[in-house]
């Protein structure tokens, strides 16, 4: 039991979901006297919506994120409001009176902004520098509104700049890997020749020549082991880059829904196979070539 000076009438427990996903919160509270052996149990279940880690804040047009994705829906603004009220943790129901929708959320995890806009003609713009978050919003919205297929266009300058650099790094790693493999193959041939010379010298009784060849063989073997370690490190880094590249493809796919999601993923993979960074970036922006 806590000390008397630590006892309070309320308790605050931080709950931080690691990902944007609906969470069922199950609470059990045991209540009793300090000397009690039996406690009264209070149970409560509270669902947390998918975007519970985003707090509604005042709009600030001068602080809008540069990344965005835009699309058109054959829906009215009240339907979008219903989705917002269902998927965000709000103190009270959000019901603006303006003719268009403009709402800003602050991500509690990293202090970034998420802005959702909707015009009367059905155009929706989601502004955020996090492509994964934009994809999660689109997937959630399409499922809530029962949309079968959705094509979008957008741009995420920061992440696409990283992607451009990543492509160059992958190419450098692949070139380095080929060079290291070639060097290792060459060293293997030289080692074989040193070994043959050393054995020939041993059979001929030329001990000094044998020692010299074995010393050269030892040094070359050390170089070969060092090259192998470099190759392993290079391979690990290359795999990290390729995994990140695959994650970018999945993010690009999640910016669309239905058949357009499949098309975008296939086009991205085709661009990667062709080693065409510009085509990949264009596909991420437009969803097609």
């Amino acid at each position: 039991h806590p000390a008397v000076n630590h006892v309070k009438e309320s308790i605050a427990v931080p709950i931080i979901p690691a990902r944007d996903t609906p969470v069922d919160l199950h609470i059990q509270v045991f209540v009793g006297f300090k000397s009690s052996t039996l406690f009264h149990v209070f149970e409560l279940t509270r669902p947390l919506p998918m975007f519970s880690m985003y707090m509604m804040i005042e709009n600030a047009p001068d602080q809008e994120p540069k990344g965005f994705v835009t699309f058109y829906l054959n829906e009215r603004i009240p339907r979008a409001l219903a989705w917002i009220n269902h998927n965000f943790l709000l103190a009270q129901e959000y019901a603006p009176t303006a003719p268009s929708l403009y709402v800003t959320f602050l991500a509690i995890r990293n202090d970034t902004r998420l802005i959702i806009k909707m015009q009367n003609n059905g155009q929706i713009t989601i502004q955020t520098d996090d492509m994964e978050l934009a994809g999660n919003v689109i997937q959630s919205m399409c499922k809530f509104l029962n949309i079968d297929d959705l094509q979008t266009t957008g741009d995420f300058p920061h992440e696409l700049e990283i992607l451009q650099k990543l492509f160059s790094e992958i190419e450098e790693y692949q070139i380095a890997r080929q060079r290291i493999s070639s060097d290792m193959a060459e060293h293997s041939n030289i080692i074989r020749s040193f070994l043959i010379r050393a054995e020939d010298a041993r059979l001929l009784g030329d001990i000094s020549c044998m020692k010299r060849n074995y010393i050269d063989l030892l040094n070359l073997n050390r170089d070969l082991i060092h090259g192998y370690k470099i190759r392993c490190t290079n391979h690990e880094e290359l795999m990290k880059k390729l995994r990140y590249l695959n994650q970018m493809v999945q993010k690009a796919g999640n910016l669309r829904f239905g058949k357009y999601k499949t098309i975008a993923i296939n086009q991205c993979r085709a661009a990667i196979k062709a080693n065409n960074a510009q085509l990949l970036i264009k596909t991420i922006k437009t969803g097609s070539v």
Side-chain angles (χ1 to χ4, degrees), residues 249-285:
V249 171
Q250 296 302 321
K251 290 179 184 179
N254 283 337
L255 294 177
R256 286 91 197 174
F257 196 78
K259 66 179 182 181
Y260 295 108
K261 177 178 180 178
T262 304
I263 292 172
I265 291 176
N266 291 338
Q267 294 287 357
C268 286
R269 288 176 177 167
I272 293 172
K273 187 176 181 180
N275 199 28
N276 192 330
Q278 295 303 321
L279 183 61
L280 176 60
I281 291 174
K282 180 183 177 183
T283 303
I284 292 175
K285 288 182 177 181

Side-chain angles (χ1 to χ4, degrees), residues 12-18 23 25 27 48 52-53:
V13 180
I15 299 173
I16 307 175
V23 176
L25 190 62
I27 303 172
L48 293 180
S52 58
M53 292 298 293

Side-chain angles (χ1 to χ4, degrees), residues 137-188:
V137 169
I138 289 173
Q139 296 297 310
S140 173
M141 188 177 292
C142 288
K143 291 175 183 177
F144 183 84
L145 299 176
N146 296 320
I147 296 170
D148 295 327
D149 301 300
L150 179 67
Q151 178 64 292
T152 67
T153 58
D155 188 15
F156 295 86
H158 178 65
E159 294 204 44
L160 294 182
E161 182 181 353
I162 294 175
L163 180 62
Q164 182 76 46
K165 294 179 181 178
L166 182 70
F167 240 85
S168 301
E169 291 174 357
I170 288 176
E171 187 175 358
E172 291 174 0
Y173 277 118
Q174 289 175 336
I175 293 173
R177 184 183 182 186
Q178 292 175 356
R179 186 182 67 251
I180 293 171
S181 298
S182 176
D183 291 344
M184 290 180 67
E186 183 179 351
H187 285 173
S188 298

Side-chain angles (χ1 to χ4, degrees), residues 112-128:
T112 58
R113 292 173 183 262
L114 167 65
I115 298 175
I116 301 174
K117 299 178 181 178
M118 184 174 183
Q119 305 298 328
N120 285 324
N121 61 355
Q123 182 183 10
I124 296 180
T125 302
I126 299 169
Q127 293 178 250
T128 174

